Amino acid sequence: SSELTQDPSVSVALGQTVRITCQGDSLRTSFASWFQQRPGQAPRLVIYGKNNRPSGIPDRIYGSRSGDTASLTIIGARAEDEGDYYCNSRDSSGNHLKVIFGGGTKLTVL
Amino acid sequence: EVQLVESGGDLVQPGGSLRLSCAASGFTFSNYWMTWVRQAPGKGLEWVANIKQDGSDKYYVDSVRGRFTISRDNAKNSLYLQMNSLRAEDTAVYYCARDPGGYDLWGQGTLVSVSS
């Protein structure tokens, strides 16, 4: 199906490691991109492609994929990592190419 | 400065029309696919449409196909979204984004409210 499924919320203790997952059939053939959105702000790209980071994104944040599941891992979580995280990917399974987003995961750093 | 600036959002009645604009600066606009993404109040992100560098290919989410039209003017470094037959469910903040393989540059968004 043309959906990406994310857990609605995840929490992590300050300094610990957290993984946010995104599951969907399209991920078997397309890499996920990951976006962080803080309240009142536009989304910001954090991971794209196999495991590429835009400039300014630290290497303690990385992406991976296994089968139909993409993961975003944050090592040594900081308060600045809080926010909503969205995955997306291309889906060419139908007659029209389209892009789908996951429902988002709210990350809380305790 | 590398940036995208959206404009054109407004309050409009159901069935009405609106044209959004996205002004690009600081980079070679004509080199990039461009995308519109929207976010309803308190909800997640939804891809709306995207357009190839020269405007020859365009794709839409099913819910807007036939009502919305994405276009661009590379001479003016501008992206557009013509929205017709607007519905209450189109109410959202609309973002434009640059797409070199990931949406690496976003505007601040423009709010479209559809209500009588």
Side-chain angles (χ1 to χ4, degrees):
Chain A
S1 64
S2 300
E3 292 183 353
L4 294 176
T5 301
Q6 298 182 241
D7 291 329
S9 64
V10 171
S11 61
V12 60
L14 191 67
Q16 296 303 301
T17 297
V18 62
R19 186 171 66 182
I20 299 169
T21 61
C22 173
Q23 185 270 333
D25 289 340
S26 63
L27 297 176
R28 295 185 182 279
T29 55
S30 297
F31 287 109
S33 293
W34 290 92
F35 303 88
Q36 178 197 38
Q37 187 178 34
R38 296 177 176 134
Q41 296 185 12
R44 176 177 72 149
L45 180 68
V46 295
I47 292 290
Y48 66 100
K50 190 172 184 179
N51 181 27
N52 301 306
R53 283 177 293 275
S55 61
I57 303 300
D59 59 7
R60 62 185 183 83
I61 297 175
Y62 69 91
S64 59
R65 181 183 71 173
S66 177
D68 68 350
T69 300
S71 299
L72 178 75
T73 302
I74 302 174
I75 299 171
R78 302 179 179 183
E80 68 205 48
D81 297 326
E82 277 201 344
D84 294 323
Y85 286 82
Y86 296 92
C87 60
N88 86 339
S89 77
R90 297 183 188 278
D91 179 9
S92 54
S93 61
N95 294 328
H96 303 280
L97 184 147
K98 58 185 176 183
V99 175
I100 48 177
F101 279 92
T105 298
K106 182 178 182 60
L107 176 65
T108 301
V109 179
L110 303 173
Chain B
E1 181 183 2
V2 176
Q3 64 177 356
L4 297 169
V5 179
E6 302 95 335
S7 60
D10 205 348
L11 172 63
V12 61
Q13 293 188 340
S17 297
L18 210 56
R19 188 196 197 204
L20 305 183
S21 299
C22 170
S25 59
F27 64 97
T28 305
F29 178 72
S30 60
N31 285 353
Y32 294 90
W33 279 79
M34 295 297 294
T35 289
W36 287 100
V37 174
R38 68 184 178 183
Q39 187 169 35
K43 303 297 185 181
L45 301 174
E46 180 183 36
W47 170 77
V48 175
N50 60 6
I51 185 169
K52 195 175 179 179
Q53 289 93 329
D54 62 0
S56 60
D57 287 336
K58 306 173 185 181
Y59 301 96
Y60 301 90
V61 67
D62 289 346
S63 59
V64 310
R65 190 176 296 114
R67 298 189 299 124
F68 290 11
T69 301
I70 188 172
S71 63
R72 65 192 296 162
D73 185 336
N74 288 340
K76 294 183 177 180
N77 294 325
S78 292
L79 175 71
Y80 306 103
L81 187 67
Q82 177 66 42
M83 303 187 294
N84 299 331
S85 303
L86 282 161
R87 307 167 180 168
E89 54 265 35
D90 295 318
T91 294
V93 173
Y94 285 72
Y95 297 99
C96 62
R98 184 176 74 175
D99 183 12
Y103 303 156
D104 69 339
L105 180 66
W106 295 66
Q108 84 290 347
T110 187
L111 177 62
V112 173
S113 294
V114 184
S115 175
S116 54

